[in-house]
Amino acid sequence: MSWGPDLWDSYNSVVGHVAKGTTELVDVYGKFVKEKAELEKEYAKGLRKLISKYEPKKIKKKKENEESSENSCFRIFLVETGYQAGQHELLAEHLSKVVVK
């Protein structure tokens, strides 16, 4: 079957079929990205909560230089986890504002 002799009068139905498929696909992608943005936001919130739960309490009597290497490393690990949470927040914001319109 070729376009010329067999489908010359079916242009509107072919275009309608393609347009319908495209619309359905865009709807599915939009829902997926919206749900992904929500998950990213929840994950970032969970990371922030975890960080605040495990953040070592500062003792005012001790100086920063007297902190043990274990506490120093753990504090750095928490800071990096905070940066990861920030990246998830940025991704969630970008997905919800730019991609899903």
Side-chain angles (χ1 to χ4, degrees), residues 3 7-20:
W3 178 259
L7 297 175
W8 67 271
D9 63 341
S10 298
Y11 176 79
N12 290 337
S13 63
V14 170
V15 170
H17 175 73
V18 171
K20 180 182 176 194

Side-chain angles (χ1 to χ4, degrees), residues 10-42:
S10 298
Y11 176 79
N12 290 337
S13 63
V14 170
V15 170
H17 175 73
V18 171
K20 180 182 176 194
T22 302
T23 303
E24 290 173 357
L25 188 60
V26 168
D27 289 342
V28 169
Y29 284 172
K31 288 177 186 177
F32 171 80
V33 172
K34 183 178 179 181
E35 287 182 31
K36 181 175 167 73
E38 291 171 5
L39 287 173
E40 291 288 345
K41 187 176 180 179
E42 290 174 22

Side-chain angles (χ1 to χ4, degrees), residues 46-98:
L47 284 176
R48 297 275 186 210
K49 187 175 179 181
L50 183 68
I51 292 167
S52 66
K53 180 179 177 182
Y54 284 96
E55 191 168 28
K57 306 293 182 219
K58 288 187 178 181
I59 300 173
K60 293 182 180 181
K61 294 178 183 178
K62 289 188 174 183
K63 297 178 183 175
E64 285 289 324
N65 296 340
E66 294 178 9
E67 185 177 44
S68 70
S69 61
E70 294 87 3
N71 283 346
S72 176
C73 289
F74 188 64
R75 188 177 307 279
I76 291 170
F77 183 72
L78 291 174
V79 168
E80 291 298 323
T81 305
Y83 293 152
Q84 288 177 346
Q87 291 300 311
H88 286 283
E89 290 166 345
L90 289 174
L91 179 59
E93 181 180 343
H94 181 73
L95 289 174
S96 63
K97 288 186 178 179
V98 176

